[in-house]
Amino acid sequence: MDWALLRELQADARLSFSELSRRVHLSPPAVAERVRRLEESGVITGYHARVDLTRAGRRVVALIRMSCYGPRCILHDPTVPDWPEILEIHRITGDACSVLKVAAASIGAFEQVIDRLAPYGQPSSTMVLSTPLDRQPLGPL
């Protein structure tokens, strides 16, 4: 039942408990209790608006691999996640330490991000041409 609730909430987190209860065939109080438990246990970590990057003025999307290690590594700078162009930071294995997903307004703005990253190590970028699968809802294994 929790997976049914999660499937519906991942598709539309704005569903009311009464609509959610109709979709999963439980009473609204039972749905509210299950959702509350999913939130308290940390399975549901928040509710978010999905934003179209292009319509929001972020036409250049790229993945940037950073090769940096030690005290000057980008992962150790608490200000980097506050850069408006950086959407995600992933610590990875292999010959790089991290991958960043960035969205910039233009190639010039993207170039400025690359320049800001250079003091941390060697950035290597890959431009995103399209996204055939934007977000896959999590389901049971």
Side-chain angles (χ1 to χ4, degrees):
M1 186 51 59
D2 287 347
W3 282 113
L5 288 167
L6 290 170
R7 181 185 65 245
E8 295 296 337
L9 288 171
Q10 287 178 92
D12 184 357
R14 297 182 67 183
L15 291 174
S16 67
F17 285 145
S18 61
E19 177 59 26
L20 196 51
S21 71
R22 279 193 286 283
R23 292 184 184 197
V24 299
H25 309 293
L26 283 179
S27 69
V31 165
E33 176 60 24
R34 283 181 174 267
V35 169
R36 183 190 60 74
R37 275 192 280 126
L38 289 166
E39 291 169 343
E40 287 176 354
S41 67
V43 173
I44 295 176
T45 59
Y47 299 89
H48 311 279
R50 294 186 59 198
V51 177
D52 183 302
L53 292 173
T54 301
R55 290 180 186 214
R58 306 285 185 94
R59 290 174 174 75
V60 177
V61 178
L63 302 174
I64 302 173
R65 294 169 45 93
M66 289 297 298
S67 296
C68 56
Y69 299 95
R72 193 65 186 134
C73 180
I74 195 165
L75 296 172
H76 296 116
D77 187 335
T79 66
V80 173
D82 296 330
W83 297 7
E85 301 87 0
I86 296 179
L87 303 180
E88 299 173 12
I89 300 174
H90 302 276
R91 185 176 183 187
I92 62 171
T93 62
D95 60 348
C97 70
S98 58
V99 172
L100 290 65
K101 180 178 179 181
V102 301
S106 65
I107 290 293
F110 175 72
E111 194 173 7
Q112 290 175 354
V113 172
I114 293 293
D115 291 344
R116 285 179 72 189
L117 291 171
Y120 295 95
Q122 182 176 4
S124 174
S125 63
T126 302
M127 303 304 289
V128 174
L129 299 177
S130 66
T131 306
L133 178 60
D134 182 35
R135 185 180 71 107
Q136 180 75 341
L138 186 63
L141 295 174

